[in-house]
Amino acid sequence: MRFLGGTAVVIALLALELGCGNQDPATGDAGKDGSAADAPLESSPGDAACAPWTGGNPDAGVAGPCSGGPSVNGSPAFTQDFGPDAGVVSGTREYANLTFGTRGGRVLQGDLFVPQTINGKPGVLVVLHGGGWSDCTRRRDDVGAVAQAFAKRWGMGAFNVEYRLAQEGGVHPENVMDARCAVQWIAAHAKDYGLDGARIGVVGESAGAQLALELATASGRADLDPKCGGSDALVAAIGFSGPYDLYALEHGASSTLRGAGTTMANGPCDVATSACVSGRACERCLDASPRVHACTAAARVLLVHAQDPNDPVLPQSQAQGMYDALLSAGRNATLFVPGPSQMKGPSCPDPMGIAHGFSPC
């Protein structure tokens, strides 16, 4: 299982926001925390002043080369129980293949893990996989064990969901709307599973982290509303090793994802990020960069990113830039950068090259 363990700041924040405990958040031995008072949002021309995006209809439900992803009919739902492992909080019940929406001619589904021995009503964490927005092998199954760990180890619901990849019509903003649909659906249906629909968080790794931070900064935007039934208000958003500035991703010196941002944004990434925008940014690549919308983040934000050069895919500057933008906008943000003590251990004999996403380091 690829999972970041032993990170006190993650556990404390999730227990506070989504679990049944009353712990205070901790910053860890290499963390930074900012909780400035809300700042006024900067003005933005908004969607009305922007020319329509071009490049075809991203919601056309085009057939991609992938198999095993969102299909026309989805997969049959089923339920299964898992007993607790030694030393964990709870056993879990999995509600697999729950349909939360149909978009672009494809049925979108997720797997919900619910802790079985927790008192009270825990909140729900929506889990978003990575894969550069287009890797057919990186579906929700790839992070299923991670999602289950949130439920059985930390006592919260975990909804592990799929979204359309770029070649399936999931270019920006469709992938954000797919993920937002999952948030709205679980908020409306959490009570049916003994969960608190008023306390929803989102966590993603790599490309999923970009989507998680887009959700954290897009709440209330009518142009990104998929209308899937419930609220999309978030209490927490967590990004592991994510790209938050697509211009820097495309033009930086150290990124193996160069080109992926242009593909996902369905347009050129040739305009650098600048002032914070509270509505739609007129350039599609800018609009897909969470750093541009930092001033509209309403949820508590946690960013986790390995020190350079331990993440072989994305530089630490991506997380640092997002964190700085959040603090400048008066948002509540924490940056956790694992130090040498967290980058070594029995599961990490050589931390170089493996500290990306939900990594054991």
PDB file of all heavy atoms in Angstrom, residues 329-356:
ATOM      1  N   ALA A 329      -3.762  35.676   0.933  1.00  0.00           N
ATOM      2  CA  ALA A 329      -5.197  35.946   0.821  1.00  0.00           C
ATOM      3  C   ALA A 329      -5.916  35.815   2.165  1.00  0.00           C
ATOM      4  O   ALA A 329      -7.143  35.925   2.219  1.00  0.00           O
ATOM      5  CB  ALA A 329      -5.822  34.994  -0.193  1.00  0.00           C
ATOM      6  N   GLY A 330      -5.169  35.562   3.236  1.00  0.00           N
ATOM      7  CA  GLY A 330      -5.790  35.442   4.545  1.00  0.00           C
ATOM      8  C   GLY A 330      -6.501  34.135   4.785  1.00  0.00           C
ATOM      9  O   GLY A 330      -7.371  34.054   5.648  1.00  0.00           O
ATOM     10  N   ARG A 331      -6.141  33.090   4.031  1.00  0.00           N
ATOM     11  CA  ARG A 331      -6.800  31.801   4.197  1.00  0.00           C
ATOM     12  C   ARG A 331      -6.119  30.984   5.294  1.00  0.00           C
ATOM     13  O   ARG A 331      -4.996  31.255   5.702  1.00  0.00           O
ATOM     14  CB  ARG A 331      -6.780  31.008   2.888  1.00  0.00           C
ATOM     15  CG  ARG A 331      -7.351  31.722   1.685  1.00  0.00           C
ATOM     16  CD  ARG A 331      -8.824  32.034   1.836  1.00  0.00           C
ATOM     17  NE  ARG A 331      -9.084  33.411   2.226  1.00  0.00           N
ATOM     18  CZ  ARG A 331     -10.276  33.920   2.414  1.00  0.00           C
ATOM     19  NH1 ARG A 331     -11.346  33.171   2.264  1.00  0.00           N
ATOM     20  NH2 ARG A 331     -10.422  35.180   2.746  1.00  0.00           N
ATOM     21  N   ASN A 332      -6.789  29.926   5.748  1.00  0.00           N
ATOM     22  CA  ASN A 332      -6.282  29.040   6.789  1.00  0.00           C
ATOM     23  C   ASN A 332      -5.519  27.898   6.122  1.00  0.00           C
ATOM     24  O   ASN A 332      -6.126  27.031   5.491  1.00  0.00           O
ATOM     25  CB  ASN A 332      -7.448  28.497   7.627  1.00  0.00           C
ATOM     26  CG  ASN A 332      -6.997  27.810   8.894  1.00  0.00           C
ATOM     27  OD1 ASN A 332      -5.988  27.119   8.909  1.00  0.00           O
ATOM     28  ND2 ASN A 332      -7.756  27.988   9.960  1.00  0.00           N
ATOM     29  N   ALA A 333      -4.197  27.879   6.248  1.00  0.00           N
ATOM     30  CA  ALA A 333      -3.393  26.921   5.502  1.00  0.00           C
ATOM     31  C   ALA A 333      -2.244  26.392   6.342  1.00  0.00           C
ATOM     32  O   ALA A 333      -1.708  27.094   7.203  1.00  0.00           O
ATOM     33  CB  ALA A 333      -2.844  27.550   4.226  1.00  0.00           C
ATOM     34  N   THR A 334      -1.871  25.145   6.072  1.00  0.00           N
ATOM     35  CA  THR A 334      -0.712  24.509   6.685  1.00  0.00           C
ATOM     36  C   THR A 334       0.112  23.863   5.585  1.00  0.00           C
ATOM     37  O   THR A 334      -0.439  23.195   4.700  1.00  0.00           O
ATOM     38  CB  THR A 334      -1.138  23.427   7.700  1.00  0.00           C
ATOM     39  OG1 THR A 334      -1.913  24.026   8.729  1.00  0.00           O
ATOM     40  CG2 THR A 334       0.074  22.749   8.319  1.00  0.00           C
ATOM     41  N   LEU A 335       1.411  24.060   5.634  1.00  0.00           N
ATOM     42  CA  LEU A 335       2.341  23.390   4.726  1.00  0.00           C
ATOM     43  C   LEU A 335       3.176  22.428   5.550  1.00  0.00           C
ATOM     44  O   LEU A 335       3.838  22.840   6.505  1.00  0.00           O
ATOM     45  CB  LEU A 335       3.237  24.402   4.017  1.00  0.00           C
ATOM     46  CG  LEU A 335       4.397  23.818   3.184  1.00  0.00           C
ATOM     47  CD1 LEU A 335       3.879  22.945   2.055  1.00  0.00           C
ATOM     48  CD2 LEU A 335       5.286  24.938   2.651  1.00  0.00           C
ATOM     49  N   PHE A 336       3.132  21.152   5.209  1.00  0.00           N
ATOM     50  CA  PHE A 336       3.938  20.148   5.898  1.00  0.00           C
ATOM     51  C   PHE A 336       4.982  19.603   4.929  1.00  0.00           C
ATOM     52  O   PHE A 336       4.636  19.005   3.903  1.00  0.00           O
ATOM     53  CB  PHE A 336       3.069  19.012   6.436  1.00  0.00           C
ATOM     54  CG  PHE A 336       3.826  18.035   7.283  1.00  0.00           C
ATOM     55  CD1 PHE A 336       4.056  18.287   8.624  1.00  0.00           C
ATOM     56  CD2 PHE A 336       4.332  16.875   6.736  1.00  0.00           C
ATOM     57  CE1 PHE A 336       4.769  17.389   9.411  1.00  0.00           C
ATOM     58  CE2 PHE A 336       5.042  15.975   7.505  1.00  0.00           C
ATOM     59  CZ  PHE A 336       5.266  16.226   8.851  1.00  0.00           C
ATOM     60  N   VAL A 337       6.244  19.821   5.250  1.00  0.00           N
ATOM     61  CA  VAL A 337       7.362  19.331   4.436  1.00  0.00           C
ATOM     62  C   VAL A 337       8.107  18.295   5.257  1.00  0.00           C
ATOM     63  O   VAL A 337       8.827  18.660   6.198  1.00  0.00           O
ATOM     64  CB  VAL A 337       8.306  20.476   4.030  1.00  0.00           C
ATOM     65  CG1 VAL A 337       9.465  19.951   3.188  1.00  0.00           C
ATOM     66  CG2 VAL A 337       7.542  21.550   3.255  1.00  0.00           C
ATOM     67  N   PRO A 338       7.931  17.004   4.974  1.00  0.00           N
ATOM     68  CA  PRO A 338       8.605  15.978   5.769  1.00  0.00           C
ATOM     69  C   PRO A 338      10.112  16.184   5.780  1.00  0.00           C
ATOM     70  O   PRO A 338      10.726  16.402   4.737  1.00  0.00           O
ATOM     71  CB  PRO A 338       8.225  14.678   5.056  1.00  0.00           C
ATOM     72  CG  PRO A 338       6.956  14.995   4.350  1.00  0.00           C
ATOM     73  CD  PRO A 338       7.081  16.419   3.922  1.00  0.00           C
ATOM     74  N   GLY A 339      10.681  16.126   6.965  1.00  0.00           N
ATOM     75  CA  GLY A 339      12.123  16.252   7.105  1.00  0.00           C
ATOM     76  C   GLY A 339      12.813  14.914   6.985  1.00  0.00           C
ATOM     77  O   GLY A 339      12.177  13.884   6.735  1.00  0.00           O
ATOM     78  N   PRO A 340      14.140  14.889   7.176  1.00  0.00           N
ATOM     79  CA  PRO A 340      14.902  13.640   7.014  1.00  0.00           C
ATOM     80  C   PRO A 340      14.394  12.506   7.892  1.00  0.00           C
ATOM     81  O   PRO A 340      14.400  11.346   7.481  1.00  0.00           O
ATOM     82  CB  PRO A 340      16.322  14.060   7.403  1.00  0.00           C
ATOM     83  CG  PRO A 340      16.381  15.517   7.099  1.00  0.00           C
ATOM     84  CD  PRO A 340      15.012  16.043   7.432  1.00  0.00           C
ATOM     85  N   SER A 341      13.908  12.821   9.098  1.00  0.00           N
ATOM     86  CA  SER A 341      13.448  11.753   9.992  1.00  0.00           C
ATOM     87  C   SER A 341      12.207  11.058   9.455  1.00  0.00           C
ATOM     88  O   SER A 341      11.980   9.878   9.729  1.00  0.00           O
ATOM     89  CB  SER A 341      13.155  12.322  11.385  1.00  0.00           C
ATOM     90  OG  SER A 341      12.097  13.273  11.332  1.00  0.00           O
ATOM     91  N   GLN A 342      11.376  11.792   8.678  1.00  0.00           N
ATOM     92  CA  GLN A 342      10.176  11.181   8.110  1.00  0.00           C
ATOM     93  C   GLN A 342      10.441  10.557   6.748  1.00  0.00           C
ATOM     94  O   GLN A 342       9.574   9.887   6.197  1.00  0.00           O
ATOM     95  CB  GLN A 342       9.065  12.232   7.976  1.00  0.00           C
ATOM     96  CG  GLN A 342       8.479  12.640   9.302  1.00  0.00           C
ATOM     97  CD  GLN A 342       8.801  14.077   9.642  1.00  0.00           C
ATOM     98  OE1 GLN A 342       9.576  14.726   8.953  1.00  0.00           O
ATOM     99  NE2 GLN A 342       8.230  14.564  10.719  1.00  0.00           N
ATOM    100  N   MET A 343      11.609  10.788   6.193  1.00  0.00           N
ATOM    101  CA  MET A 343      11.926  10.275   4.866  1.00  0.00           C
ATOM    102  C   MET A 343      12.726   8.977   4.917  1.00  0.00           C
ATOM    103  O   MET A 343      13.220   8.501   3.908  1.00  0.00           O
ATOM    104  CB  MET A 343      12.720  11.316   4.076  1.00  0.00           C
ATOM    105  CG  MET A 343      11.938  12.569   3.748  1.00  0.00           C
ATOM    106  SD  MET A 343      10.548  12.249   2.658  1.00  0.00           S
ATOM    107  CE  MET A 343      11.422  11.710   1.202  1.00  0.00           C
ATOM    108  N   LYS A 344      12.886   8.417   6.126  1.00  0.00           N
ATOM    109  CA  LYS A 344      13.635   7.179   6.256  1.00  0.00           C
ATOM    110  C   LYS A 344      12.852   6.221   7.134  1.00  0.00           C
ATOM    111  O   LYS A 344      11.990   6.609   7.906  1.00  0.00           O
ATOM    112  CB  LYS A 344      15.010   7.455   6.879  1.00  0.00           C
ATOM    113  CG  LYS A 344      15.915   8.332   6.020  1.00  0.00           C
ATOM    114  CD  LYS A 344      17.246   8.586   6.712  1.00  0.00           C
ATOM    115  CE  LYS A 344      18.134   9.485   5.862  1.00  0.00           C
ATOM    116  NZ  LYS A 344      19.434   9.767   6.529  1.00  0.00           N
ATOM    117  N   GLY A 345      13.172   4.942   7.012  1.00  0.00           N
ATOM    118  CA  GLY A 345      12.496   3.950   7.826  1.00  0.00           C
ATOM    119  C   GLY A 345      12.512   2.603   7.140  1.00  0.00           C
ATOM    120  O   GLY A 345      13.038   2.461   6.027  1.00  0.00           O
ATOM    121  N   PRO A 346      11.915   1.576   7.772  1.00  0.00           N
ATOM    122  CA  PRO A 346      11.929   0.235   7.190  1.00  0.00           C
ATOM    123  C   PRO A 346      11.327   0.160   5.795  1.00  0.00           C
ATOM    124  O   PRO A 346      11.760  -0.627   4.965  1.00  0.00           O
ATOM    125  CB  PRO A 346      11.114  -0.585   8.203  1.00  0.00           C
ATOM    126  CG  PRO A 346      11.222   0.173   9.475  1.00  0.00           C
ATOM    127  CD  PRO A 346      11.284   1.626   9.089  1.00  0.00           C
ATOM    128  N   SER A 347      10.299   0.981   5.554  1.00  0.00           N
ATOM    129  CA  SER A 347       9.654   0.936   4.236  1.00  0.00           C
ATOM    130  C   SER A 347      10.326   1.863   3.235  1.00  0.00           C
ATOM    131  O   SER A 347       9.934   1.896   2.075  1.00  0.00           O
ATOM    132  CB  SER A 347       8.172   1.311   4.362  1.00  0.00           C
ATOM    133  OG  SER A 347       8.036   2.639   4.819  1.00  0.00           O
ATOM    134  N   CYS A 348      11.314   2.622   3.676  1.00  0.00           N
ATOM    135  CA  CYS A 348      11.946   3.615   2.810  1.00  0.00           C
ATOM    136  C   CYS A 348      13.474   3.528   2.892  1.00  0.00           C
ATOM    137  O   CYS A 348      14.133   4.462   3.361  1.00  0.00           O
ATOM    138  CB  CYS A 348      11.511   5.023   3.206  1.00  0.00           C
ATOM    139  SG  CYS A 348       9.756   5.198   3.532  1.00  0.00           S
ATOM    140  N   PRO A 349      14.058   2.420   2.496  1.00  0.00           N
ATOM    141  CA  PRO A 349      15.517   2.335   2.577  1.00  0.00           C
ATOM    142  C   PRO A 349      16.210   3.379   1.710  1.00  0.00           C
ATOM    143  O   PRO A 349      17.310   3.799   2.010  1.00  0.00           O
ATOM    144  CB  PRO A 349      15.812   0.913   2.098  1.00  0.00           C
ATOM    145  CG  PRO A 349      14.619   0.550   1.267  1.00  0.00           C
ATOM    146  CD  PRO A 349      13.452   1.236   1.916  1.00  0.00           C
ATOM    147  N   ASP A 350      15.549   3.763   0.625  1.00  0.00           N
ATOM    148  CA  ASP A 350      16.098   4.803  -0.242  1.00  0.00           C
ATOM    149  C   ASP A 350      14.960   5.742  -0.608  1.00  0.00           C
ATOM    150  O   ASP A 350      14.154   5.433  -1.478  1.00  0.00           O
ATOM    151  CB  ASP A 350      16.712   4.197  -1.508  1.00  0.00           C
ATOM    152  CG  ASP A 350      17.265   5.268  -2.457  1.00  0.00           C
ATOM    153  OD1 ASP A 350      17.327   6.451  -2.049  1.00  0.00           O
ATOM    154  OD2 ASP A 350      17.626   4.921  -3.588  1.00  0.00           O
ATOM    155  N   PRO A 351      14.850   6.892   0.070  1.00  0.00           N
ATOM    156  CA  PRO A 351      13.708   7.782  -0.188  1.00  0.00           C
ATOM    157  C   PRO A 351      13.751   8.447  -1.548  1.00  0.00           C
ATOM    158  O   PRO A 351      12.736   8.951  -2.022  1.00  0.00           O
ATOM    159  CB  PRO A 351      13.832   8.824   0.929  1.00  0.00           C
ATOM    160  CG  PRO A 351      15.281   8.841   1.274  1.00  0.00           C
ATOM    161  CD  PRO A 351      15.743   7.427   1.105  1.00  0.00           C
ATOM    162  N   MET A 352      14.903   8.463  -2.205  1.00  0.00           N
ATOM    163  CA  MET A 352      14.992   9.135  -3.489  1.00  0.00           C
ATOM    164  C   MET A 352      14.088   8.442  -4.509  1.00  0.00           C
ATOM    165  O   MET A 352      14.149   7.236  -4.706  1.00  0.00           O
ATOM    166  CB  MET A 352      16.426   9.149  -4.003  1.00  0.00           C
ATOM    167  CG  MET A 352      17.391   9.888  -3.089  1.00  0.00           C
ATOM    168  SD  MET A 352      16.992  11.634  -2.927  1.00  0.00           S
ATOM    169  CE  MET A 352      17.391  12.212  -4.575  1.00  0.00           C
ATOM    170  N   GLY A 353      13.254   9.218  -5.159  1.00  0.00           N
ATOM    171  CA  GLY A 353      12.467   8.683  -6.263  1.00  0.00           C
ATOM    172  C   GLY A 353      11.146   8.072  -5.873  1.00  0.00           C
ATOM    173  O   GLY A 353      10.454   7.535  -6.739  1.00  0.00           O
ATOM    174  N   ILE A 354      10.755   8.098  -4.587  1.00  0.00           N
ATOM    175  CA  ILE A 354       9.487   7.473  -4.231  1.00  0.00           C
ATOM    176  C   ILE A 354       8.587   8.384  -3.401  1.00  0.00           C
ATOM    177  O   ILE A 354       7.511   7.965  -3.002  1.00  0.00           O
ATOM    178  CB  ILE A 354       9.706   6.146  -3.475  1.00  0.00           C
ATOM    179  CG1 ILE A 354      10.582   6.368  -2.238  1.00  0.00           C
ATOM    180  CG2 ILE A 354      10.286   5.085  -4.378  1.00  0.00           C
ATOM    181  CD1 ILE A 354      10.737   5.117  -1.390  1.00  0.00           C
ATOM    182  N   ALA A 355       9.030   9.604  -3.106  1.00  0.00           N
ATOM    183  CA  ALA A 355       8.227  10.473  -2.243  1.00  0.00           C
ATOM    184  C   ALA A 355       7.295  11.335  -3.059  1.00  0.00           C
ATOM    185  O   ALA A 355       7.353  12.560  -3.036  1.00  0.00           O
ATOM    186  CB  ALA A 355       9.140  11.339  -1.384  1.00  0.00           C
ATOM    187  N   HIS A 356       6.386  10.709  -3.804  1.00  0.00           N
ATOM    188  CA  HIS A 356       5.417  11.451  -4.586  1.00  0.00           C
ATOM    189  C   HIS A 356       4.049  10.843  -4.351  1.00  0.00           C
ATOM    190  O   HIS A 356       3.864   9.635  -4.401  1.00  0.00           O
ATOM    191  CB  HIS A 356       5.742  11.408  -6.083  1.00  0.00           C
ATOM    192  CG  HIS A 356       4.761  12.181  -6.931  1.00  0.00           C
ATOM    193  ND1 HIS A 356       4.753  13.543  -6.975  1.00  0.00           N
ATOM    194  CD2 HIS A 356       3.750  11.773  -7.716  1.00  0.00           C
ATOM    195  CE1 HIS A 356       3.791  13.957  -7.783  1.00  0.00           C
ATOM    196  NE2 HIS A 356       3.147  12.888  -8.227  1.00  0.00           N
TER     197      HIS A 356
END
